[in-house]
Amino acid sequence: MAQPVRPGPPQPSAAQETPETHRSRDAPPRPLTRSPTVTVATDPLTRRRAALRPGATLATTATATAVALMNYTSPMTTVPDISAALATPVSGRAWLLNGAPLGLAVFLLIVGSLADDYGRRRLFLIGALALGITTGLGALATTTVAFTLARVAQGAASAAILAASLGLLVGAFPPGAARIRATGIWGAFVSAGIALGPLLAGSLGSVDWRLPYAVLALAALLTGAFAFRTLEESRAPRGGRPDLAGAAALGLAMTALLTALTLGRDGWLRAPVGLLLLAALALTAGFVAVEHRAAAPLIDLSLLRSRLFLASSAGGLFTGLSVIGLFSYLPTLIQQALGMSALGTAWLFLLWSGTSFAVALQARRLAGRVVARHQLAVGFALHAVAVLSLLGTLDTAGTTHIGASLWLRLLLALVISGIGSGLLNAALPRLAVESVPPERAAMGSGANNTARYIGSSAGVALTIAIAATGSGANGALLLSVALALVATVSVLLLRERR
């Protein structure tokens, strides 16, 4: 028999307001009717699993998230090797990087809603199994098309892991310090996955570029097996049929948009690009219309009236556009300008991603002291400062002498940007779960990460397109700076109304 989750403690009064209470003023309007009850199964098997919670839930979801992000970032330092092995033309390189982001962007919101309704553990296990299988298929690919399709499928599988993870953590940890600590650690493992992916690809890829994907496939399957034994099922069913029409409209809209952005590299005024952009707009309008009528929508459109939800979505979008978009292609720019190897670039980028991991792990201590929006603003500002300092260092093709001054600028930029990235990775999951009701935690996570990976796909496409023009690497760096500054202003302006 299902048992309802007890409501959290009362909110402090205005006189006792702290940064943590910004959530209550920014939260979406709550209906007067009773909210859906979050249910937790109580059969004997689940009770045995419950003895392992919540630490095992955190360990499992964090590990799987790290594996998913390692898979996501693996091609960053090996694009030249993969494109050479698969005979990928220069115009097709964006697809090698954009396959996984496309799958993530299309499916995150869909699987987030399905996880809330049909079981977070179930979707998590499906994601882990699918990630293992599709990563193995990617290792066997012999053409650019086959590899790209495998990467899209890997992104879809990763979407199930990422969206269900935060929902599982919300079910395992009560509101307050314990949940803040758990989401902070989870965010740190996002940084850890980003750090280890290029390093694994750079080291094993020196033997064969397929080897890292074989290792990641095995890691995903082992994580799924551990999750099967440790995770407890939780769901928040709303009733009604699955929103298949909304899922189809959203999936097609995202596919059209990201395909247009990727093809735009060869000319933004071409007919296919324009038609795809128009199709994306029409399908998005259709998605909104469907969600207004759906009994169990993929996303509750009333959330758009919450400034906290908008700040969460804007933070995710600009993290993808500015940070992930640049750093997905920056290793290739460094290899071209400084003549570094894939492994050397991976070790260099470990400074950035390792700093991000350490900062994200410690940034949970800021909760209750620093408003999440302000933490995002500081993270974006630090990234802008760091990238601005790189101007002029990557504007040649393999002839730049790596002197002491250039090393100093490069290393400082990576450390400062890593600090900013760590602050972003710690604040985004916290904001994602605070901006929605507890029973819609996976939906909030899905919306936030959808915005992030839509942004990253667009950012990668724009970065590669601008780097190929006369402005070169400097143009790509300036784009990232401009987007980070816009993000800083946006999250500061999205404050609650008094």
Side-chain angles (χ1 to χ4, degrees):
M1 181 175 179
Q3 298 178 342
V5 172
R6 296 181 179 275
Q11 296 292 328
S13 65
Q16 297 172 318
E17 184 183 21
T18 69
E20 241 347 76
T21 66
H22 281 246
R23 182 181 74 85
S24 62
R25 296 201 310 269
D26 276 337
R30 302 290 179 89
L32 294 178
T33 57
R34 187 176 180 180
S35 298
T37 300
V38 179
T39 60
V40 179
T42 56
D43 56 272
L45 178 59
T46 296
R47 284 198 295 270
R48 288 197 297 271
R49 288 188 185 122
L52 299 172
R53 295 176 60 216
T57 300
L58 176 58
T60 304
T61 55
T63 301
T65 297
V67 172
L69 268 296
M70 288 174 68
N71 176 279
Y72 178 88
T73 57
S74 285
M76 285 172 53
T77 57
T78 55
V79 167
D81 293 336
I82 296 174
S83 59
L86 301 179
T88 306
V90 175
S91 59
R93 287 189 175 187
W95 286 110
L96 300 179
L97 292 170
N98 264 352
L102 176 60
L104 279 159
V106 168
F107 287 97
L108 264 166
L109 193 58
I110 297 170
V111 297
S113 183
L114 291 175
D116 284 333
D117 287 334
Y118 297 101
R120 294 151 184 166
R121 175 180 178 270
R122 178 181 297 174
L123 265 292
F124 185 94
L125 292 175
I126 291 172
L129 176 62
L131 182 61
I133 294 172
T134 56
T135 303
L137 291 175
L140 299 175
T142 57
T143 66
T144 302
V145 172
F147 182 78
T148 300
L149 290 176
R151 292 290 292 169
V152 172
Q154 290 159 31
S158 298
I161 293 173
L162 295 177
S165 289
L166 279 178
L168 288 165
L169 291 179
V170 167
F173 291 89
R179 183 179 294 174
I180 290 171
R181 175 179 176 274
T183 56
I185 292 174
W186 185 87
F189 272 77
V190 171
S191 298
I194 293 172
L196 296 175
L199 189 60
L200 178 71
S203 55
L204 297 183
S206 61
V207 178
D208 189 330
W209 70 265
R210 303 175 191 275
L211 190 56
Y213 295 97
V215 172
L216 289 171
L218 179 61
L221 294 175
L222 290 175
T223 304
F226 185 72
F228 181 79
R229 296 179 58 84
T230 60
L231 293 182
E232 177 185 357
E233 186 62 280
S234 68
R235 58 173 64 86
R238 294 170 292 176
R241 297 178 179 178
D243 185 12
L244 298 180
L250 178 65
L252 291 172
M254 294 300 98
T255 301
L257 173 62
L258 298 179
T259 302
L261 291 173
T262 303
L263 293 178
R265 182 187 183 281
D266 295 324
W268 296 100
L269 300 179
R270 293 185 302 142
V273 176
L275 290 174
L276 284 168
L277 290 174
L278 288 174
L281 287 174
L283 288 165
T284 301
F287 170 72
V288 172
V290 168
E291 297 305 281
H292 273 298
R293 296 178 175 84
L298 292 179
I299 183 168
D300 183 354
L301 296 180
S302 67
L303 292 172
L304 299 178
R305 296 197 295 269
S306 165
R307 284 178 166 248
L308 191 62
F309 181 79
L310 293 177
S312 171
S313 300
L317 178 67
F318 281 103
T319 296
L321 280 169
S322 179
V323 182
I324 303 176
L326 175 65
F327 275 81
S328 293
Y329 196 62
L330 190 58
T332 299
L333 294 176
I334 289 178
Q335 290 176 39
Q336 292 173 350
L338 306 182
M340 295 185 68
S341 66
L343 182 58
T345 308
W347 279 110
L348 182 64
F349 266 67
L350 185 61
L351 182 62
W352 168 69
S353 49
T355 301
S356 177
F357 170 75
V359 170
L361 199 59
Q362 296 302 316
R364 67 182 188 274
R365 304 179 189 276
L366 297 176
R369 302 176 183 176
V370 178
V371 177
R373 290 185 307 104
H374 296 168
Q375 186 172 322
L376 288 176
V378 172
F380 283 122
L382 288 174
H383 174 76
V385 170
V387 174
L388 198 61
S389 69
L390 288 176
L391 288 175
T393 61
L394 305 174
D395 54 357
T396 57
T399 59
T400 300
H401 174 65
I402 311 179
S405 61
L406 189 148
W407 272 117
L408 181 62
R409 289 173 63 185
L410 186 58
L411 296 178
L412 282 177
L414 291 173
V415 170
I416 294 171
S417 182
I419 294 172
S421 180
L423 292 174
L424 294 174
N425 287 336
L428 284 172
R430 172 181 151 203
L431 203 54
V433 297
E434 287 180 353
S435 64
V436 297
E439 66 272 8
R440 299 270 71 86
M443 178 189 287
S445 171
N448 179 272
N449 282 296
T450 295
R452 185 190 300 213
Y453 293 108
I454 288 174
S456 70
S457 296
V460 167
L462 291 172
T463 297
I464 294 177
I466 291 177
T469 66
S471 60
N474 284 337
L477 296 174
L478 287 173
L479 172 67
S480 181
V481 170
L483 291 169
L485 293 177
V486 171
T488 302
V489 174
S490 298
V491 296
L492 289 176
L493 290 178
L494 286 170
R495 57 180 301 174
E496 64 286 352
R497 292 190 180 94
R498 296 181 182 275

